Amino acid sequence: MDPSIQAASGYYVWELPGKPVVVHLNLAIIDRLAAEIMRGFGAVPKRGAEVGGLLLGTLEEGAQTIVRVEDFEGIACDYKRGPSYLFSADDGAAFEEACARSTSAVGYFRSHTREGFSLGPEDIELMEQFFPSSSHIALMVKPFATKVSVASFFFREDGLFQSEPPLEFPFRRRELTGEPAPPRRSMLERTQRRRENREMTGDLNSEPGRIASSPDFAGQELSGPLPAPSRSEHPYVSQSNSRARSGWAWIPLSFVFLLLGVALGFQAALTMGPKVAGAKEYSLGLTVTREGANLSVKWDRDAPAVKAAQRGLLEIEDGGVTKPVDLDPAQLSNGSILFTNSSGTVRFRLIVYPQAQVTVIQTVEWKESSQ
């Protein structure tokens, strides 16, 4: 059966029929952990840095072990061996100390920005050393820049971990629960709401050091919140309420000036930046042809968008599995790759980034019957 939200309210239940391990993942930690993973993913160009640490919770042993994941603890890596989450002697000791200190560790998690999607030899070695029980689990999360991350748990069967993800699932709470996407208020609406709240409460020191309440940052705080001065220390508290409220008259004017600045900046970017004249500049010339046992994927390396791009991404959907291939400038200028398909229908999606906030995409579907 498919994993779902079951009788365990507040948990995502990950289960495979007839398997010895069931995982109850607390929904409250999913988006927090996803945010940590995406911070690492965005920290390093091209493939992103991996992050990892401990899964915390409880084990309920029985004919079918229930692993409850209630929280996580991130453990830093010094990345002396590249962007992968691989330990050196120094940070390996830190991981060992964290495992020895924890009384509730039930497994290990790691983001996966490498090729494929499975446990590596280092992961298995780490599990054997620190999590030897057949009830212990590993969580792999594969982040994507343009779509929701995917994840899978791994566990031991007859003493061995699976070589492929047993069951993938989207790693975002909204997708797991079926909740609708929360509506996003405009900047003007958020400014107006904050002004009304402050005028009603007379609070001139609202929310210092906290990210404004919004669906994307619910429950998050800045790592170093600024201390708020007390009301008696504020230099303007003693002034009349009418003067305090008169200061808010600048809010609409400031917003108008902000819009004017954005418009002028955008116009300057169009005037001074690279020109995009029409559809030709956005064409990538993506084609797919059969060459022996492989598919030859080619794009126009002289296309303006390709020549201007500092990075690209080729998503290959083959047999229901999507494989992302990062492309650096040298690979983009090469203009082609070979791919060995496993099914009769393969979808290729080429994405390039010629300039800031500009994305050019072309999708081509190849079918065996069409060749």
Side-chain angles (χ1 to χ4, degrees):
M1 71 182 147
D2 294 334
S4 60
I5 306 300
Q6 298 180 1
S9 178
Y11 291 85
Y12 171 70
V13 179
W14 185 89
E15 181 177 7
L16 288 159
K19 300 302 181 182
V21 173
V22 178
V23 182
H24 290 202
L25 177 60
N26 193 317
L27 291 170
I29 75 167
I30 292 176
D31 289 346
R32 283 198 294 117
L33 179 52
E36 293 293 325
I37 289 171
M38 293 308 295
R39 268 193 282 273
F41 184 63
V44 177
K46 299 180 183 177
R47 55 164 284 194
E50 297 178 346
V51 300
L54 305 182
L55 296 175
L56 307 177
T58 60
L59 299 174
E60 297 180 14
E61 304 280 359
Q64 190 177 50
T65 298
I66 297 177
V67 183
R68 297 186 185 276
V69 179
E70 305 288 359
D71 208 345
F72 67 93
E73 178 184 349
I75 300 175
C77 171
D78 60 18
Y79 301 109
K80 290 181 179 179
R81 301 170 63 183
S84 296
Y85 192 70
L86 301 173
F87 293 126
S88 65
D90 295 335
D91 51 10
F95 191 93
E96 183 175 357
E97 290 172 6
C99 291
R101 182 179 65 251
S102 176
T103 59
S104 58
V106 297
Y108 155 73
F109 78 88
R110 174 174 68 78
S111 60
H112 190 93
T113 64
R114 315 169 199 180
E115 289 292 322
F117 188 28
S118 62
L119 296 177
E122 298 85 358
D123 300 313
I124 295 175
E125 181 180 349
L126 184 147
M127 291 294 294
E128 294 297 334
Q129 181 177 355
F130 298 108
F131 302 102
S133 170
S134 60
S135 300
H136 288 144
I137 58 172
L139 171 64
M140 295 285 111
V141 182
K142 192 168 187 66
F144 294 98
T146 57
K147 61 181 181 180
V148 178
S149 303
V150 296
S152 181
F153 289 102
F154 292 79
F155 57 92
R156 293 178 177 88
E157 288 187 281
D158 299 323
L160 300 175
F161 285 100
Q162 296 86 1
S163 59
E164 298 291 336
L167 185 64
E168 296 181 11
F169 61 96
F171 201 70
R172 188 164 66 180
R173 175 173 178 153
R174 195 164 72 224
E175 273 69 19
L176 296 177
T177 61
E179 299 171 358
R184 295 181 61 86
R185 294 194 297 269
S186 67
M187 182 185 296
L188 182 60
E189 290 174 325
R190 294 197 296 270
T191 302
Q192 180 68 20
R193 177 65 62 87
R194 287 197 294 271
R195 184 182 72 174
E196 292 173 354
N197 290 342
R198 291 182 183 182
E199 287 182 344
M200 291 177 61
T201 61
D203 184 4
L204 300 179
N205 304 315
S206 175
E207 300 182 320
R210 182 180 293 272
I211 295 175
S213 176
S214 74
D216 291 339
F217 297 99
Q220 295 187 28
E221 295 185 1
L222 296 177
S223 59
L226 298 174
S230 65
R231 181 172 293 273
S232 61
E233 295 171 339
H234 201 287
Y236 303 110
V237 167
S238 59
Q239 299 182 17
S240 65
N241 288 338
S242 63
R243 181 172 178 180
R245 280 195 292 269
S246 68
W248 291 108
W250 287 99
I251 293 295
L253 290 175
S254 299
F255 184 69
V256 171
F257 290 141
L258 175 62
L259 291 178
L260 180 59
V262 170
L264 290 174
F266 181 72
Q267 183 63 39
L270 291 178
T271 303
M272 301 174 63
K275 301 291 185 180
V276 179
K280 181 178 179 181
E281 279 71 16
Y282 285 113
S283 174
L284 302 179
L286 185 64
T287 61
V288 183
T289 57
R290 166 70 76 183
E291 286 189 7
N294 301 314
L295 298 180
S296 176
V297 185
K298 296 182 179 179
W299 55 90
D300 184 4
R301 60 185 182 183
D302 293 322
V306 174
K307 294 178 70 173
Q310 292 302 306
R311 65 186 182 96
L313 178 69
L314 180 63
E315 292 183 344
I316 306 173
E317 183 178 346
D318 183 17
V321 177
T322 299
K323 177 182 179 181
V325 179
D326 291 312
L327 302 171
D328 59 26
Q331 292 168 320
L332 284 170
S333 64
N334 183 52
S336 67
I337 67 167
L338 290 177
F339 175 74
T340 304
N341 59 304
S342 61
S343 68
T345 301
V346 187
R347 182 186 296 269
F348 297 86
R349 186 169 184 254
L350 178 62
I351 309 169
V352 298
Y353 306 90
Q355 55 181 295
Q357 299 183 348
V358 176
T359 303
V360 182
I361 303 172
Q362 185 176 356
T363 301
V364 171
E365 185 175 274
W366 176 90
K367 290 186 178 181
E368 186 75 48
S369 58
S370 66
Q371 302 301 305

